[in-house]
Amino acid sequence: MEYLRTDYHVHPNYSIDAFPVQIREYCKKALELNLAEICFTTHIELEPERREIDNFVIFNGEKISVFNHAWLDSYLSEIAQANQEFRHYNLKVKAGIEVGYCRGCEKYVEEIVNNYPFDFVLGAIHCLDHIAISSMKESPYYFQNKSLAELRKEYFTTLEEMVTTGLFDCIAHLDLYIRYGLRHYGPEILTIHRGVIESIFSEMTRRGMGLEVNTSSRRRGLKEFHPIREILDLAARAGIKIFTVGSDAHSLDQLGDYIDEALDLLKDLNLRNHVFTRRKAVPC
Ligand SMILES: [Zn+2]
Ligand SMILES: [Zn+2]
């Protein structure tokens, strides 16, 4: 069976940590790469403790508060325009967001997903203890003060909370702690999900949630995708059916990175890639 080639995790110029590449530029590149569908997932980071650091988006070349809705109209209309333009070339362009989950962010997420026509809402854990474990610079400040058991407890408790909010369609890079944690804790970190992820996956199955295969680990020199194959296997065994693939591109050259390999892995595990329209998943 042929799987549609999609990239469901792309950061255009609205994300403060991305290169200033416009939505249209990514779409042109997606055509070159023969992608059937691209979904933009601008960061929304809402932790009040980090408001000076990352509660921002870029709008008209300026950093503005993520809580100022001015950017959302522009973001969604740019995506709608691109979808109109590129559908003549058989490329679909979807509107998503990647919410960096934190306790207390539910209200704002609810407000925007109820008021804007998003296709896809990705939930991610980037921070623990208000420190970005996703960041090469910041993560050591978290890791050096925590045992592996503490990391395990804090990460998976947060994940469970995020799942039970019911706000998210899909979980991004589920084992992100491996990105910079592997070098700090060693290979034991590759097993900390055992015994704790199973019940979270059952809950995700019950809620019809999806799981992302995120390829960004490979350009950082890790051997596997996020999550690792063993975790994908556990997800499948728990009955999760919805999977997406995403490069987590922050620049044009990263678009579509390792997508074919990610699709091969899904095929190998007998799982289907999915696309989303207005928050509804369809296998593709
Ligand atoms: Zn992320
Ligand atoms: Zn991302």
Side-chain angles (χ1 to χ4, degrees), residues 9 11 17 41 43 45 98-100 122-126 134 172-173 176 179 212 214 216 248 250:
H9 195 146
H11 293 282
D17 61 345
T41 53
H43 280 295
E45 299 292 336
E98 178 185 16
V99 177
L122 200 49
I125 298 171
H126 295 129
S134 55
H173 46 60
L176 181 70
R179 180 189 286 177
E212 172 195 66
N214 183 299
S216 69
D248 215 341
H250 284 67

